[in-house]
Amino acid sequence: MRESLPVLGIGLIGTGFMGRAHALAFHSARSTFDLPVQLKLVALADADAARAEQCANSWGFERSHGQWEHLINDPAVHLVAITTPNHLHFPMAMATLEAGKTVYCEKPLAVTLQQADQMQRAAKKAGVVTRAGYNYQHNPMIVLARQMIDSGELGQIVSFQGEFSEDFMGDPMAAWSWRCEAAHAGGALADLGSHLLAMARYLLGDVESVCADSNTVHASRPASTDSQQQRPITIDDQTHALLRFANGARGTFSSSWLKHGYKNHLSFEISGTQGTLAFDQERLNELRLCRVGDRDGFQRLLAGPSLPGYAAFCPAPGHQLGYNELKTLEVHALIQAVCGNGNDGADFEEAWQVERLAAAIRLAAREQRWVALKEV
Ligand code: NAD
């Protein structure tokens, strides 16, 4: 880190799964890349002030806050990373934009389309860099997949089959959490499906219309681990949809958090007139490709240093990147955008488009009909 470079002060809100992933990514970005700024870990906030203090000490932040408003108003904080439950993204991001600071907000952008719309408008008005945490598209293999699609290597794209399944809610005794509350989150579609919708858009562009089906499999869950009390559940455990893309391709979409055996199965198969490309996040360093004339079926492409995002971490092929490296690549793209170098990553306008698509799927499932995106 060169001390003559300008300082970019980082504020991070939340110390859960994603709070830790963001903290690791800021550290890793600092040591992996020759950044045009000095990243300074200024402040960490959490509703649990004691945990904020403890994590600030071990994660290397200068100070901690029990109230997130203090972090946003801290003059040494220039960029605010939001890793709290979904319903808090709106007030926290709006306050950050009001303060004229960069926002790096976890996905999904908001819990209602109206909020997401307000956020993307406020971002435009503030004129600052915004990003949503759609980290999977920073995988060098996904960047390669998009290049292959855009260059016409697969011919005209005719079909997309996408699925994001996990099984962490598969047990009916898995306890209620904020993820089970419509007002706080929005079910498997919001939690996992939003990533798949962002991926579909990243690779193939706009979706024009959808039809869908959604259901709740476990209608109640224990109020907390080991509790005898049950809480009713109304959000979706699984959602299936058909998609029609603006480029003419047809697609399928499914998201489930109770499909046993799957831990991070964000996957797709994309077929064109000249070939098929397949990916599974559980094997994130691989793409499977079959081109017309490949008599023996699919070949496996393995990530290596010919891909810049991979080379940043490792000079040898096949040694494999992991989830946290994708987060580091996301942070790197964000810092570059803040410094005026490039525009990779999903900004609030793109994250709002993902919310429009999710809203269309919800409407289609509710009314059991095809919904055109222009309706929402
Ligand atoms: P979590 O429950 O593990 O952590 C949430 C954190 O927010 C906790 O530290 C909690 O104390 C804190 N918090 C709650 N209310 C707060 C308040 N009022 N002020 C300050 N802090 C508060 O949740 P998580 O799994 O880290 O998910 C957080 C966000 O990250 C969600 O939006 C989720 O969708 C997203 N997420 C993204 C990915 C990804 O791959 N991009 C993966 C998991 C989660």
Side-chain angles (χ1 to χ4, degrees):
M1 189 161 69
R2 278 170 288 156
E3 294 200 345
S4 55
L5 292 174
V7 170
L8 188 72
I10 307 297
L12 170 61
I13 313 177
T15 62
F17 175 12
M18 272 305 104
R20 186 180 175 78
H22 280 230
L24 287 171
F26 283 116
H27 276 291
S28 174
R30 218 163 44 176
S31 47
T32 308
F33 296 99
D34 202 7
L35 296 175
V37 287
Q38 294 181 59
L39 284 191
K40 201 171 194 190
L41 303 185
V42 172
L44 181 64
D46 199 280
D48 179 342
R51 181 166 165 79
E53 189 183 353
Q54 181 208 333
C55 291
N57 286 335
S58 51
W59 298 352
F61 283 81
E62 288 176 359
R63 48 188 169 270
S64 66
H65 300 285
Q67 278 179 283
W68 56 268
E69 291 89 344
H70 293 165
L71 178 145
I72 290 174
N73 293 329
D74 186 331
V77 168
H78 308 119
L79 182 159
V80 176
I82 301 170
T83 69
T84 49
N86 304 353
H87 68 294
L88 295 170
H89 297 176
F90 177 75
M92 291 173 174
M94 292 299 277
T96 308
L97 292 169
E98 185 68 29
K101 299 183 180 184
T102 299
V103 198
Y104 175 28
C105 182
E106 264 312 324
K107 49 53 62 177
L109 191 57
V111 288
T112 68
L113 185 57
Q114 196 189 22
Q115 285 181 350
D117 188 31
Q118 269 181 263
M119 289 162 85
Q120 64 102 11
R121 284 170 196 271
K124 276 202 189 98
K125 192 166 159 221
V128 296
V129 170
T130 56
R131 285 294 180 272
Y134 288 115
N135 31 263
Y136 296 112
Q137 59 189 245
H138 294 276
N139 182 345
M141 292 310 264
I142 296 296
V143 175
L144 176 65
R146 180 156 124 169
Q147 282 164 3
M148 290 167 73
I149 293 164
D150 289 352
S151 70
E153 215 173 314
L154 302 179
Q156 184 197 333
I157 303 301
V158 295
S159 113
F160 171 91
Q161 288 173 282
E163 171 178 356
F164 196 171
S165 297
E166 296 193 5
D167 65 3
F168 67 101
M169 297 301 278
D171 180 353
M173 297 308 281
W176 177 95
S177 76
W178 60 263
R179 282 186 164 80
C180 300
E181 209 55 55
H184 291 176
L189 170 58
D191 194 43
L192 303 178
S194 58
H195 273 300
L196 181 59
L197 296 176
M199 183 66 80
R201 285 185 51 80
Y202 176 75
L203 294 170
L204 296 189
D206 288 338
V207 172
E208 276 188 346
S209 54
V210 297
C211 75
D213 186 54
S214 237
N215 70 317
T216 310
V217 176
H218 301 306
S220 67
R221 290 183 181 275
S224 60
T225 312
D226 299 329
S227 166
Q228 298 303 313
Q229 193 202 337
Q230 291 278 311
R231 279 182 83 141
I233 304 286
T234 56
I235 42 76
D236 67 302
D237 284 323
Q238 55 175 357
T239 291
H240 297 84
L242 294 178
L243 315 173
R244 283 187 193 148
F245 289 86
N247 67 4
R250 302 296 203 261
T252 60
F253 160 97
S254 69
S255 59
S256 166
W257 59 23
L258 34 72
K259 193 167 170 188
H260 294 293
Y262 287 107
K263 306 301 172 188
N264 195 4
H265 184 50
L266 172 74
S267 63
F268 58 77
E269 292 191 2
I270 293 174
S271 286
T273 51
Q274 297 299 316
T276 296
L277 196 59
F279 172 80
D280 181 348
Q281 173 65 23
E282 290 184 357
R283 301 181 73 95
L284 79 161
N285 290 273
E286 296 174 24
L287 281 172
R288 290 190 310 124
L289 172 67
C290 182
R291 280 184 274 233
V292 169
D294 286 349
R295 211 187 41 170
D296 300 329
F298 282 92
Q299 57 170 308
R300 184 175 68 135
L301 310 183
L302 200 54
S306 64
L307 304 170
Y310 182 100
F313 296 95
C314 183
H319 283 52
Q320 316 235 341
L321 302 190
Y323 175 85
N324 288 312
E325 271 93 39
L326 306 190
K327 221 59 199 164
T328 303
L329 289 165
E330 182 169 79
V331 163
H332 177 240
L334 163 67
I335 303 304
Q336 292 297 350
V338 168
C339 298
N341 306 326
N343 201 21
D344 288 346
D347 64 8
F348 275 19
E349 184 178 354
E350 174 56 20
W352 163 70
Q353 291 288 7
V354 173
E355 292 311 305
R356 276 186 73 213
L357 193 41
I361 288 174
R362 277 192 197 98
L363 179 61
R366 202 165 53 242
E367 299 189 355
Q368 294 286 288
R369 66 177 177 90
W370 279 92
V371 168
L373 260 287
K374 57 182 183 238
E375 291 182 50
V376 295

